[in-house]
Amino acid sequence: MVTAIILLRVERTKVNDVAEKLADTEGVSEVYSVSGRYDLIVIVRVASNDDLADLVTEKMNPIKEITDSETMLAFKAFSPHDLEAMFSVGM
């Protein structure tokens, strides 16, 4: 599984619209509105790098209200929250 953190700058009046659209996109697990240099943080979990490329170029790129982005790939998860969630579903 590939996990990516995507930081987005969005037209100010369209932050909620873009967030809702992204939240309904396959492969997007979470969308956060945040303070600071970026407007939204998008957490993506997909099966492969090709799936990530498709999501970014085919689903996100056409959203004109996104004015800038930065994509980071996660190498390893250290969060105990992720481990607790995994065990709570019987894995």
Side-chain angles (χ1 to χ4, degrees):
M1 172 159 295
V2 175
T3 300
I5 298 94
I6 303 174
L7 309 174
L8 298 177
R9 289 192 180 113
V10 178
E11 291 178 16
R12 291 202 186 270
T13 61
K14 300 297 183 179
V15 172
N16 289 343
D17 295 337
V18 171
E20 290 173 6
K21 183 181 287 188
L22 291 172
D24 290 335
T25 302
E26 185 177 346
V28 172
S29 64
E30 300 159 70
V31 180
Y32 298 96
S33 61
V34 296
S35 62
R37 293 182 9 205
Y38 293 93
D39 302 302
L40 296 173
I41 295 177
V42 181
I43 309 298
V44 174
R45 291 186 175 91
V46 291
S48 69
N49 286 331
D50 287 339
D51 293 333
L52 176 61
D54 288 343
L55 189 146
V56 170
T57 59
E58 301 296 325
K59 302 288 196 278
M60 294 180 76
N61 199 33
I63 302 174
K64 301 297 182 203
E65 296 85 3
I66 297 173
T67 59
D68 192 24
S69 67
E70 183 173 345
T71 302
M72 298 178 282
L73 294 177
F75 295 130
K76 186 174 182 180
F78 294 93
S79 170
H81 171 76
D82 292 338
L83 295 174
E84 289 171 18
M86 183 174 72
F87 287 113
S88 70
V89 294
M91 295 189 109

